[in-house]
């Protein structure tokens, strides 16, 4: 499996700088929701471009849903995808990750080499003309050839690097053209003006193939000598760069065309592998989700939730499923809003941004403690916005003492629960939970059974509050000394 996440993130990095995005999911939120792990589990795209495009959809929620992506997904759900996959497979080389760099960044031709090439051609012309009158002048062709060879090889690594990627760009254009022959995808392909690129990059592909094939090495040698003698490489490269730099909008559209088709095919596979539904979006503070499951968890226990004009408090022991439930719902929000389906039997909720405080850690490099990190993160949640926002907080303010934690949590959670905020908060402090019940929060809990030497989690959400305790019992299960167990029960009773 390809784990080159830095290269995969390139298109996301480009898209995240664009304006008019509904939400760019930050690195912190992505880590909280384990989005990178989810991407690698669900990714079955065929091309490097597809991987980059699919990943960007995890992290960027548009102001409007991509209807064309959904239509393409529906097409692959009901039609044979093998011919398209065979084309996409041709764009799965490591250098294909750099096609996007070629499109987004300007390429430069070293003026020193280009100016020399022009001077060399002029000298060649002069020497040949004078050679008709004085044949000894033709002897100057040898030092000119040697000088050409020096500049040719001094610039060769740079030119060959880009020629290799340009050859992959040529392959990309060919793949797009072949996919565009499918009547369903023809309209979008034909809307991209590519006439000025016709035949521009094929020479890069030919050069790469000649150099790789030992049976064609003789032809490669002939072309190499011609390139040196007439500076063909620098002139040809200069022409390609000029056209390439002028055609970036069209090339980006080709890139996105392929990425969208590959992503749509991948989404059709996901829909085939997991139970799913079409989301319903409402313009009010409401969540109604039925038999929701988490795609990262095999044999996942499904859960349902039905709330209106309220937020929720989740209680229960560690590992009982509280945090997984929050992540599960957030992932369903992303899929509903980005892809037009989600992992549930039914889904109804507003179109909303996601805010989270789950996997916070001390930041040693910035001298920020866990508590300070959490304070700064949650401070952003206090800002009221016209858009609905899903706010996920795991064990609020657990980085400070119990007395102040309870006091601060009550005040902050009351303030965050506005008309456009739907808050999911987990806590072990039952005093906080009871207080919030009177502040437009509904209480839910996850539970487990301790049977002899085994803990059995149900992973089912239940209305109300968890009054059972089993922390000391777990110490017994793992053979803590008897005097510690007895003293713990004594402190509990007192």
């Amino acid at each position: 499996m390809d784990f080159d996440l830095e290269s995969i993130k390139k298109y996301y990095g480009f898209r995240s700088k664009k304006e008019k995005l509904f939400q760019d999911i930050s690195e912190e939120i992505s880590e909280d929701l384990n989005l990178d792990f989810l991407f690698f589990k669900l990714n079955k795209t065929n091309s490097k471009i597809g991987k980059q495009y699919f990943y960007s959809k995890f992290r960027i929620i548009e102001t409007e849903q991509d209807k064309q992506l959904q239509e393409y997904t529906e097409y692959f759900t009901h039609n044979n995808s093998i011919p398209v996959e065979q084309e996409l497979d041709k764009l799965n080389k490591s250098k294909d990750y750099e096609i996007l760099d070629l499109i987004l960044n300007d390429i430069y031709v070293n003026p020193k080499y280009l100016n020399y090439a022009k001077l060399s051609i002029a000298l060649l012309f002069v020497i040949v003309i004078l050679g008709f009158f004085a044949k000894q002048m033709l002897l100057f062709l040898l030092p000119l050839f040697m000088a050409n060879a020096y500049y040719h090889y001094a610039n060769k690594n740079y030119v060959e690097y880009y020629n290799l990627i340009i050859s992959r760009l040529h392959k990309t254009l060919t793949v797009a053209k072949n996919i565009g022959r499918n009547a369903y995808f023809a309209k979008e392909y034909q809307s991209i003006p590519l006439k000025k690129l016709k035949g521009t990059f094929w020479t890069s592909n030919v050069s790469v193939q000649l150099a790789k094939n030992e049976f064609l090495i003789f032809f490669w040698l002939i072309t190499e000598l011609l390139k040196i003698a007439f500076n063909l490489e620098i002139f040809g490269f200069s022409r390609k760069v000029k056209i390439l730099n002028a055609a970036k909008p069209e090339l980006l559209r080709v890139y996105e065309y392929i990425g969208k088709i590959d992503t749509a095919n991948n989404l059709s596979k996901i829909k085939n592998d997991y139970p799913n539904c079409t989301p319903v979006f409402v313009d009010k503070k409401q969540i109604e989700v039925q038999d929701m499951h988490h795609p990262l968890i095999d044999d996942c226990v499904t859960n349902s939730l039905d709330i209106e004009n309220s937020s929720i408090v989740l209680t229960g022991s560690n590992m009982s499923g509280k945090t997984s439930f929050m992540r599960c719902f957030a992932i369903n929000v992303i899929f509903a809003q980005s892809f037009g389906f989600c992992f549930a039997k039914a889904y109804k909720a507003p179109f909303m941004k996601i805010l989270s405080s789950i996997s916070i850690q001390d930041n040693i490099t910035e001298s920020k403690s866990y508590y300070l990190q959490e304070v700064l993160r949650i401070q952003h949640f206090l800002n009221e916005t016209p858009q609905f926002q899903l706010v996920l907080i795991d064990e609020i303010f657990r980085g400070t003492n119990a007395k102040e934690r309870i006091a601060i949590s009550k005040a902050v959670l009351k303030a965050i629960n506005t008309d456009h905020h739907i808050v999911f908060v987990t806590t072990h402090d039952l005093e906080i939970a009871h207080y919030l019940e009177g502040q437009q929060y509904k209480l839910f809990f996850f539970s487990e059974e301790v049977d002899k030497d085994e803990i059995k989690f149900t992973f089912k959400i239940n209305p109300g509050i968890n009054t059972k305790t089993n922390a000391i019992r777990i110490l017994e299960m793992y053979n803590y000394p008897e005097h510690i167990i007895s003293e713990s029960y004594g402190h509990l009773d007192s």
Side-chain angles (χ1 to χ4, degrees):
M1 183 178 287
D2 184 353
F3 291 103
D4 187 359
L5 194 56
E6 183 177 350
S7 295
I8 290 170
K9 285 183 175 182
K10 285 181 178 180
Y11 181 65
Y12 158 71
F14 163 70
R15 288 287 292 116
S16 65
K17 298 172 185 175
K18 292 289 184 181
E19 298 178 359
K20 297 182 180 179
L21 300 175
F22 183 76
Q23 183 178 13
D24 169 15
I25 294 177
S26 67
E27 290 293 337
E28 292 81 8
I29 297 173
S30 177
E31 289 176 8
D32 281 350
L33 304 182
N34 299 323
L35 289 187
D36 289 349
F37 292 106
L38 183 63
F39 167 79
F40 284 120
K41 179 169 184 179
L42 297 181
N43 175 56
K44 294 180 182 177
T45 53
N46 294 80
S47 69
K48 302 298 187 190
I49 294 174
K51 289 179 178 63
Q52 291 173 322
Y53 193 91
F54 180 46
Y55 181 86
S56 75
K57 288 292 184 178
F58 268 65
R59 298 285 299 275
I60 290 174
I61 300 176
E62 304 281 358
T63 52
E64 295 182 1
Q65 289 189 300
D66 190 337
K67 297 298 183 184
Q68 192 169 54
L69 176 65
Q70 294 177 24
E71 290 171 4
Y72 285 173
T73 302
E74 194 65 20
Y75 169 85
F76 284 117
T77 302
H78 302 290
N79 292 275
N80 180 17
S81 63
I82 292 177
V84 173
E85 289 180 3
Q86 288 173 339
E87 289 298 323
L88 294 170
D89 279 334
K90 298 173 183 177
L91 299 176
N92 202 24
K93 296 186 181 296
S94 59
K95 283 292 181 184
D96 293 339
Y97 279 136
E98 299 178 48
I99 291 171
L100 186 62
D101 298 323
L102 196 70
I103 295 172
L104 298 182
N105 304 315
D106 281 341
I107 308 170
Y108 298 96
V109 178
N110 191 320
K112 180 177 73 173
Y113 296 120
L114 185 58
N115 290 335
Y116 169 77
K118 293 176 182 178
L119 176 62
S120 174
I121 287 295
L123 288 173
L124 178 62
F125 179 76
V126 171
I127 292 170
V128 171
I129 294 297
L130 292 176
F132 283 107
F133 304 100
K135 292 188 177 180
Q136 60 269 29
M137 291 296 299
L138 297 177
L139 295 175
F140 286 102
L141 290 176
L142 181 59
L144 181 63
F145 183 86
M146 298 299 291
N148 285 358
Y150 168 79
Y151 280 99
H152 174 81
Y153 288 108
N155 195 40
K156 194 168 187 63
N157 285 341
Y158 181 81
V159 172
E160 281 198 340
Y161 169 78
Y162 279 109
N163 268 337
L164 179 58
I165 303 174
I166 290 172
S167 74
R168 298 308 303 163
L169 179 60
H170 176 263
K171 177 62 72 174
T172 303
L173 293 170
T174 302
V175 167
K177 180 179 179 181
N178 292 341
I179 293 175
R181 290 193 176 104
N182 182 315
Y184 196 82
F185 306 117
K187 183 177 180 180
E188 183 178 2
Y189 175 76
Q190 291 169 2
S191 71
I192 307 173
L194 296 174
K195 286 185 178 180
K196 60 184 174 183
L197 297 174
K198 190 175 182 181
T200 301
F201 306 127
W202 71 272
T203 53
S204 296
N205 196 47
V206 170
S207 297
V208 171
Q209 297 306 317
L210 285 175
K212 287 166 55 176
N213 194 323
E214 61 184 51
F215 296 105
L216 299 175
I217 197 69
F218 173 75
F219 297 101
W220 173 84
L221 180 60
I222 296 298
T223 58
E224 189 74 358
L225 291 173
L226 289 172
K227 287 178 184 178
I228 294 171
F230 298 103
N231 295 286
L232 297 179
E233 189 156 78
I234 189 66
F235 286 126
F237 182 66
S238 176
R239 176 177 173 272
K240 281 182 268 189
V241 166
K242 185 177 181 180
I243 295 173
L244 186 63
N245 287 339
K248 290 185 179 297
E250 293 83 3
L251 293 172
L252 182 60
R253 286 184 62 186
V254 172
Y255 172 94
E256 292 173 336
Y257 171 73
I258 289 175
K260 185 185 297 183
I261 289 172
D262 203 353
T263 296
N265 185 41
N266 187 50
L267 292 174
S268 72
K269 296 175 184 177
I270 295 172
K271 292 181 74 172
N272 184 62
D273 291 342
Y274 298 91
N276 62 86
C277 70
T278 301
V280 175
F281 296 107
V282 294
D283 191 25
K284 58 182 178 178
K285 188 174 178 177
Q286 178 187 14
I287 292 174
E288 187 178 321
V289 60
Q290 184 179 351
D291 293 342
M292 173 182 66
H293 60 277
H294 196 314
L296 258 183
I297 302 174
D298 295 330
D299 301 319
C300 181
V301 175
T302 62
N303 276 295
S304 302
L305 181 67
D306 189 354
I307 58 172
E308 187 168 353
N309 295 321
S310 68
S311 294
I312 69 171
V313 181
L314 298 168
T315 59
S317 64
N318 290 323
M319 301 188 299
S320 62
K322 305 185 303 297
T323 309
S324 293
F325 177 82
M326 292 198 301
R327 287 180 171 133
C328 177
F329 181 70
I331 286 167
N332 275 274
V333 170
I334 291 173
F335 266 74
Q337 297 177 176
S338 290
F339 300 125
F341 70 92
C342 49
F343 306 100
K345 189 174 182 179
Y347 175 101
K348 181 189 289 185
F351 209 88
M352 51 189 166
K353 293 183 178 180
I354 299 171
L355 305 174
S356 67
S357 175
I358 297 177
S359 304
I360 292 176
Q361 297 178 345
D362 292 339
N363 191 323
I364 298 174
T365 59
E366 296 184 12
S367 300
K368 293 179 181 178
S369 66
Y370 175 94
Y371 176 67
L372 181 55
Q373 291 277 85
E374 188 175 21
V375 166
L376 295 174
R377 182 85 69 90
I378 291 178
Q379 184 180 35
H380 295 296
F381 303 170
L382 294 168
N383 300 326
E384 179 63 19
T385 66
Q387 299 98 356
F388 284 99
Q389 296 188 342
L390 173 67
V391 180
L392 310 174
I393 305 176
D394 189 31
E395 295 185 30
I396 185 169
F397 296 129
R398 63 180 178 267
T400 190
N401 65 83
K403 185 175 180 180
E404 288 185 295
R405 177 175 66 249
I406 291 172
I408 297 169
S409 298
K410 288 178 179 178
V412 169
L413 290 171
K414 177 183 176 182
I416 290 175
N417 190 25
T418 63
D419 291 341
H420 288 90
H421 282 174
I422 302 177
V423 185
F424 286 24
V425 59
T426 71
T427 183
H428 292 288
D429 295 307
L430 301 188
E431 183 180 339
I432 295 174
H434 285 301
Y435 170 79
L436 292 174
E437 192 173 14
Q439 304 297 329
Q440 295 295 309
Y441 281 84
K442 286 191 175 182
L443 306 185
F444 295 89
F445 72 92
F446 288 83
S447 63
E448 72 287 329
E449 297 293 334
V450 181
D451 182 22
K452 296 182 180 179
D453 294 331
E454 185 180 5
I455 305 175
K456 296 180 179 179
F457 293 104
T458 64
F459 302 113
K460 294 293 287 187
I461 192 170
N462 305 281
I465 197 164
N466 186 9
T467 57
K468 293 182 180 180
T469 59
N470 59 32
I472 301 175
R473 179 70 185 90
I474 291 174
L475 297 186
E476 289 184 87
M477 289 173 51
Y478 286 90
N479 301 314
Y480 266 58
E482 181 61 36
H483 70 276
I484 292 179
I485 303 298
S486 299
E487 186 174 344
S488 297
Y489 278 121
H491 290 309
L492 185 65
D493 292 337
S494 62

